[in-house]
């Protein structure tokens, strides 16, 4: 159970700020579906607006990385942060955007590999090689 | 300072198992450079071998994701786990493999976005939408 | 399901050490309610005692921060550590102590903001400005 | 060393978007100081703008929580995420905004307490008490 | 619900690589039981093989630490990473290998203690004492 | 640099509460050495006392696990939480108490293995097998 009320469409219709975001989500995504995260965020319209605007800018607007790659990174972070909801929603999004099962297998292999070496490096207190100290 | 000795090439020459891995790293990478992580892992030859074999299989062998994408995922995990050494080494690797600065900017934007929503979702205890409960 | 038995009041009545802590919790809180965490900790009376004594000292005794602020910090840490139980119990506690929904919205906004910048700063390996290197 | 160039003021003067943000930071904060985080973010003007706008909205605009409380929460999250730079910058900010040393001591005590119980609860797999399953 | 199909034994019988691993797990463990993790990993036979081979090498082969101690460390890491499944499976494994309830209580006490001091040390930015800068 | 002053012995001599803890640390450990963590904690005598008393109870008093095993668990948690200071101080402590280099190698292998499987399990959303749902 959530710590806040999940807003129904009728609830949203009572708040012009929330309704405007829900309408924009539906228009941008071309779907009537509003997920539970947005329905929970609706309790704080300022955070709902800021989050949705950032998501549009970062995840939806065309940029240097293609949509599937951005979803793979999103999943990798969500796994590392242990957010079950986020893992489920972005794994579904990645598949909807074209992620293949072979790519998904690769993602998990890299996440597992990195998680393992990250901790061993940290345990050993390995100093950064001068060769890596370069900027673009 | 590391918690273990970082093996020099002379040290490695005393241990056939370590020398074999260092030789293979040099052959596979086409470079004489052996990083501090491998020089620290050399204290435990079994872990050095297992780690290098996994890295070859996961990060170097051709697979469904291209090398830059795998490095982007590796960086995202290393950032989430707070491993400074890993961040530096894999950011350098990603650039060496062709990551552009625009792609790097995108990576950071997605990592920041996901980290923020991961925590807010967790705070709110958002239940998973049935729409996301699908498998391939 | 828990990894240990959750002690009922009858179980607690068999152990003078556990009973003494349960009695003190009820007296200090002015309520008959004992939560599942204490019922699980009862399996190790020493840890139950130490934890309850620390909670009384840190969270209940009057101190420089007011009770709601301490609960907000507790929630922020619990969210960052991904403890669903702790998030639920301390969000309920914060509300019981007077946290308003506007304050809760602020809490989530700050947690989201910090989580995002924490990771981007870590990715970039930003060196600490000398201006921040001051002690009280 | 950072993974990107830290922009000097001369660098910023070459980019209208970066210069506009630096100017706004100086105006809003009433200080000439631009920290290394902003100088690193300048490499990606879109992220610099989005981050600064969010910081103004979340941390600087008057809201339900006072400025010191928001800094305490920011520090708590930064500690949990292990961001040394963020800890230093926000501990300095909290002191500049009036955090007393007694409040700082309380903050650390709560962070330590929560970190400990978070992990023990997680280890035990404690089920959420129905009493905590309430929304506002 | 998992993000992938959990392979039944009939599914496994269709894939020689998966069947070979399942057969080896049964032979090595002397039990017909295959857990859900292996049934999920079966979707990516290369990761299933690599994971099982590493587990045999690290957790099952005789080594410098006894089996119960290795399970205690596994639980400590799983708790810190917030993996509920791993906590349950390795707590069950530890008990099956002989972990006593008193040892389990000790484990939780150390995990709680370390989690608390880890965060306070990080908050304070404590510099490493020269006395600790020694290698074997 | 720390965020607080590290107390010298002269500073401690000005505060009876701090001096009492420093004296007890020296008596219990049979050594004149006071580490930087205790010197930083001295700024908040209540937290210094509570931390030292818990450390004595959990890490020093004889219990079901031997001292080296408790240090191994402490290191595993410190690595997972990314506390460099704690890793260094407890790796030194483990060696001082008799940890062999082969045991240390085992520790790192288990930490790496668990970190990897923890994340893959989390990504896959593996449901807990009923076989693991048993309590002592």
């Amino acid at each position: 159970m959530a710590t806040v009320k999940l807003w129904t469409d009728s609830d949203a219709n009572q708040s012009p700020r929330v309704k405007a975001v829900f309408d924009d989500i539906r228009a941008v995504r071309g779907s009537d579906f509003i997920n539970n995260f947005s329905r929970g965020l609706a309790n704080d319209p300022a955070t709902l607006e800021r989050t949705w605007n950032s998501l549009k800018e970062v995840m939806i607007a065309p940029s240097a990385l293609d949509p599937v790659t951005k979803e793979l990174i999103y999943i990798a972070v969500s796994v590392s942060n242990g957010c079950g909801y986020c893992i489920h929603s972005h794994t579904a999004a990645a598949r909807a955007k074209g992620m293949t099962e072979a790519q998904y297998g690769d993602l998990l292999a890299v996440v597992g590999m990195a998680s393992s070496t990250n901790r061993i490096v940290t345990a050993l207190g390995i100093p950064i090689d001068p060769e890596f100290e370069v900027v673009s």
Side-chain angles (χ1 to χ4, degrees), chain A:
Chain A
M1 186 186 184
T3 64
V4 291
K5 183 180 71 170
L6 301 182
W7 288 39
T8 63
D9 287 349
S10 326
D11 294 325
N13 288 337
Q14 312 296 312
S15 159
R17 288 179 75 183
V18 171
K19 184 177 184 309
V21 175
F22 280 21
D23 286 350
D24 194 44
I25 291 174
R26 287 178 162 126
V28 168
R29 293 211 166 128
S31 152
D32 198 50
F33 178 64
I34 301 285
N35 68 26
N36 283 340
F37 178 38
S38 297
R39 295 186 185 282
L41 278 184
N43 293 281
D44 185 347
T47 297
L48 174 68
E49 287 168 354
R50 197 173 52 249
T51 302
W52 170 240
N53 287 334
S54 294
L55 276 169
K56 275 198 294 188
E57 204 173 317
V58 173
M59 296 302 288
I60 298 176
S63 68
L65 294 174
D66 64 274
V68 168
T69 300
K70 290 194 281 194
E71 291 295 345
L72 294 173
I73 295 166
Y74 215 112
I75 296 169
V77 172
S78 302
V79 168
S80 302
N81 285 332
C83 178
Y85 178 89
C86 313
I87 292 166
H88 271 83
S89 70
H90 286 276
T91 300
R95 283 178 170 142
K97 292 178 181 178
M99 177 185 76
T100 66
E101 292 312 300
Q103 289 175 325
Y104 185 51
D106 259 29
L107 168 66
L108 299 189
V110 176
V111 168
M113 183 83 234
S115 300
S116 174
T117 59
N118 284 178
R119 299 314 197 193
I120 296 176
V121 164
T122 297
L124 294 173
I126 302 292
I128 298 178
D129 301 79
E131 285 82 356
F132 300 148
E133 297 269 18
V134 291
V135 299
S136 59

